[in-house]
Amino acid sequence: MRRVFVIRHGNTFASHEAPRRIGSATDIPLVDSGHAQAAALADFFAGTNIRLLLASPLLRARQTAAPIAAATGHALDGCCDWLGEIDHGPDEGQAEDAVIARIGAAALARWEEDAIPPDGWHVDAPARIAAWRAFFAGSGEGTDLLVTSNGAARFALIALGLPPAKLRTGAFGEFAVDGDDRVRCVRWNVRPPDAA
């Protein structure tokens, strides 16, 4: 059996900062609490025999993957564009109230509940779903770790016919891939101890 962990990068905003919509167009680093979340993830996965470790090309994902690689003794195998964050278009860098003022609460709810992107966002949902399905269909046994973002992670669930769900910073979802290509979500949105 193969285990696939989908890991969201750590915090990119300090607790005193108002969060903003940050997507593929803004390559920001982790803040101190994000590094602490990455360390907690590294502790959680330490000693795991990793078959594959992939990350989004964005700095925040690579900074989250680096301590995991060190703790497991498995170097990052590469960065994949399909694990990259979505493009929020005109809402990039905007606070949530500004995004809602532009697109409306209903459009944001359609994104959160059904992964229907608001006008101006660039997502390419069919390509993302196809990439997740192709990854899950791959053969082999062992543990795969994929470090990504919330916008990309939701498509792992959608690829399996499940509704999208938020993945918090420093949290992971786990999938079991059986030899006969059955994939099931074992758990979602789990933070290791000390990753708050």
Side-chain angles (χ1 to χ4, degrees), residues 43 128 130 159 165 193:
D43 288 345
R128 288 179 180 272

Side-chain angles (χ1 to χ4, degrees), residues 47-114:
T48 303
N49 185 16
I50 304 302
R51 183 183 86 112
L52 186 65
L53 175 58
L54 298 173
S56 158
L58 293 172
L59 178 61
R60 54 195 179 262
R62 291 182 287 115
Q63 286 182 324
T64 302
I68 295 170
T72 61
H74 186 102
L76 183 64
D77 291 298
C79 295
C80 300
D81 288 339
W82 61 273
L83 291 174
E85 181 58 284
I86 65 163
D87 181 344
H88 293 110
D91 298 314
E92 183 71 19
Q94 299 299 312
E96 209 65 4
D97 57 347
V99 174
I100 292 171
R102 187 187 81 79
I103 65 172
L108 192 56
R110 283 191 297 276
W111 168 249
E112 295 298 336
E113 297 165 13
D114 300 314

Side-chain angles (χ1 to χ4, degrees), residues 16-187:
H16 66 276
E17 293 181 279
R20 302 181 315 274
R21 286 274 164 179
I22 300 298
S24 61
T26 308
D27 199 6
I28 59 177
L30 299 178
V31 295
D32 288 345
S33 62
H35 285 290
Q37 289 173 321
L41 287 161
D43 288 345
F44 181 82
F45 289 108
T48 303
N49 185 16
I50 304 302
R51 183 183 86 112
L52 186 65
L53 175 58
L54 298 173
S56 158
L58 293 172
L59 178 61
R60 54 195 179 262
R62 291 182 287 115
Q63 286 182 324
T64 302
I68 295 170
T72 61
H74 186 102
L76 183 64
D77 291 298
C79 295
C80 300
D81 288 339
W82 61 273
L83 291 174
E85 181 58 284
I86 65 163
D87 181 344
H88 293 110
D91 298 314
E92 183 71 19
Q94 299 299 312
E96 209 65 4
D97 57 347
V99 174
I100 292 171
R102 187 187 81 79
I103 65 172
L108 192 56
R110 283 191 297 276
W111 168 249
E112 295 298 336
E113 297 165 13
D114 300 314
I116 299 170
D119 288 341
W121 291 19
H122 307 285
V123 176
D124 197 356
R128 288 179 180 272
I129 292 167
W132 280 106
R133 286 181 178 157
F135 183 80
F136 284 134
S139 62
E141 293 193 4
T143 301
D144 299 339
L145 305 181
L146 308 175
V147 183
T148 187
S149 60
N150 183 50
R154 68 181 47 237
F155 287 97
L157 296 169
I158 295 167
L160 301 178
L162 300 170
K166 183 172 181 143
L167 190 59
R168 298 175 297 168
T169 55
F172 64 84
E174 179 184 1
F175 297 86
V177 183
D178 294 330
D180 58 0
D181 294 330
R182 287 183 306 159
V183 183
R184 63 185 170 85
C185 183
V186 177
R187 51 189 171 160

